[in-house]
Amino acid sequence: MADTVKGTVSPHLTRLLVRAGLAAGLDRSRLAGVPGLAVLDENGIRIPTATCLRVWEVISSPAWEAGGSKRVMELWRPGSLGVWDYLFSVSGSLGDALRVSSRHFTAIADPADRLLVTRDDGGGTTAGWQGPYRDHPEYPMIAEFVPYMLLTLTSLAAGRQLTPVRVRLPHRPPADVRRLVELYGTSDIEFEADHPSITFAEADMDAPLPRADPALAAILDDHARLSTAAARPVLGWLDRFHAVLESAVASGPPGLDQVAGRLAMSPRTLQRRLREEGTTWREELERLRQRRVDRLLRETSLSVESIAARVGFTDSRALRRAIHRWYGHGPAAIRASGPA
């Protein structure tokens, strides 16, 4: 299932983010260039993870000025995150709810994201999120949001507002932490952690939930698994371009005319579409070459001269110059580091 949905997310969270941005006064035209939003309201699909990340970028300023994570979750209603929402309320306890929601985290997230639930020595339970987005400009906001989302869902399932034992965040402490203390309901907030997490008290985790329904929990457990496996990935235009570009490599260094023909458009139209996506043919070809060079250096024993010919460089000197531009060192260092 992970292979089928790799690089995609459920559209549910992205819908919620778009609503939060618009409610905070975001000009709808700012969303016009975000790929994948045209199919956002369809059911049974998954959209590119890049689409969700791009929405985070677009809404970050207006939504966070209007209240941030709290503002987003104020718009949440049961079912806003699909079946994943309901896994919380029908479980036997909050400990069970967190464990089953972590097992089905792909129902709302990319398979590369992980929700790790661990029992602490003191009896409490910690839910921590790990995702490959540390270098993304909006990572601090996403890292702030995930613990609050979990706090909102667990509080609703418990039928009362929970007070977490501790919250950990990966970024540096802000000048004024009062907003975060109010957001999470605790002053025990640690910063510069490895990843964001929220810890709940043992008594809260073990207490029976008021709407526990073992039979329904089993049904939803199956539904979460099957619906994720059956979801149809809907690629944006740039994703289709990347797929065609990669396939064109099989017959040698790809040309603009060749790729444009496979996409049923003129070279001029292709260049215009790439500009609309914030990139260019030259930049995309450079990234493709870099990926291929990196793989061939790490995973084969081909000479630098052979790799240069395969990837479309005029000679080995041109390839060496490109590698220095990309990495700041020569091909030997990449080869010595082994497979990625």
Side-chain angles (χ1 to χ4, degrees), residues 289-297 311 319 323 326:
R289 283 176 165 176
Q290 183 177 356
R291 289 195 300 272
R292 294 190 69 210
V293 167
D294 188 275
R295 182 181 63 79
L296 291 171
L297 283 171
V311 182
L319 174 56
I323 292 173
W326 296 333

Side-chain angles (χ1 to χ4, degrees), residues 88-95 97 150-163 200 203-212:
F88 285 82
S89 57
V90 299
S91 295
S93 67
L94 285 180
L150 293 172
L151 178 60
T152 300
L153 295 177
T154 51
S155 294
L156 182 75
R160 58 188 175 84
Q161 182 61 44
L162 299 177
T163 300
F200 297 96
D204 289 333
M205 290 296 99
D206 293 339
L209 292 181
R211 290 176 291 172

Side-chain angles (χ1 to χ4, degrees), residues 7 21-22 30 100 113 121 198 204 286 299-300 315 325:
L22 295 176
R30 292 281 310 282
V100 71
D113 294 279
D121 292 339
I198 184 168
D204 289 333
E286 179 90 344
E299 299 177 8
T300 76
D315 53 37
R325 184 172 69 252

Side-chain angles (χ1 to χ4, degrees), residues 140 144 169-181 184 189-192:
E144 173 192 305
L169 299 173
H171 47 274
R172 295 179 180 179
D176 187 355
V177 300
R178 287 177 296 180
R179 181 183 68 83
L180 294 176
V181 170
Y184 299 118
I189 303 175
E190 299 178 10
F191 295 93
E192 300 185 77

Side-chain angles (χ1 to χ4, degrees), residues 98-251:
L98 286 174
R99 284 186 286 274
V100 71
S101 66
S102 71
R103 190 166 66 247
H104 292 297
F105 198 47
T106 304
I108 64 165
D110 190 294
D113 294 279
R114 293 191 298 164
L115 184 63
L116 305 177
V117 178
T118 56
R119 192 81 171 191
D120 302 340
D121 292 339
T125 296
T126 295
W129 168 65
Q130 292 184 3
Y133 315 110
R134 274 192 170 272
D135 295 330
H136 192 274
E138 308 310 329
Y139 176 70
M141 292 184 182
I142 303 172
E144 173 192 305
F145 173 77
V146 174
Y148 185 69
M149 176 182 70
L150 293 172
L151 178 60
T152 300
L153 295 177
T154 51
S155 294
L156 182 75
R160 58 188 175 84
Q161 182 61 44
L162 299 177
T163 300
V165 173
R166 179 177 56 254
V167 173
R168 291 191 176 101
L169 299 173
H171 47 274
R172 295 179 180 179
D176 187 355
V177 300
R178 287 177 296 180
R179 181 183 68 83
L180 294 176
V181 170
E182 181 180 341
L183 180 70
Y184 299 118
T186 180
S187 58
D188 193 345
I189 303 175
E190 299 178 10
F191 295 93
E192 300 185 77
D194 289 339
H195 56 270
S197 66
I198 184 168
T199 301
F200 297 96
E202 180 179 11
D204 289 333
M205 290 296 99
D206 293 339
L209 292 181
R211 290 176 291 172
D213 188 330
L216 182 55
I219 292 172
L220 292 179
D221 187 276
D222 276 345
H223 180 64
R225 176 177 55 83
L226 295 172
S227 61
T228 302
R232 174 174 57 92
V234 177
L235 299 180
W237 180 85
L238 193 58
D239 298 284
R240 293 197 300 275
F241 165 78
H242 287 153
V244 169
L245 187 63
E246 291 283 355
S247 66
V249 173
S251 56

Side-chain angles (χ1 to χ4, degrees), residues 18-27 59 61-68 71 75:
V18 168
R19 288 176 55 208
L22 295 176
L26 176 71
D27 187 336
I59 75 157
S61 293
W64 254 248
E65 289 172 4
R71 183 71 181 114
L75 297 174

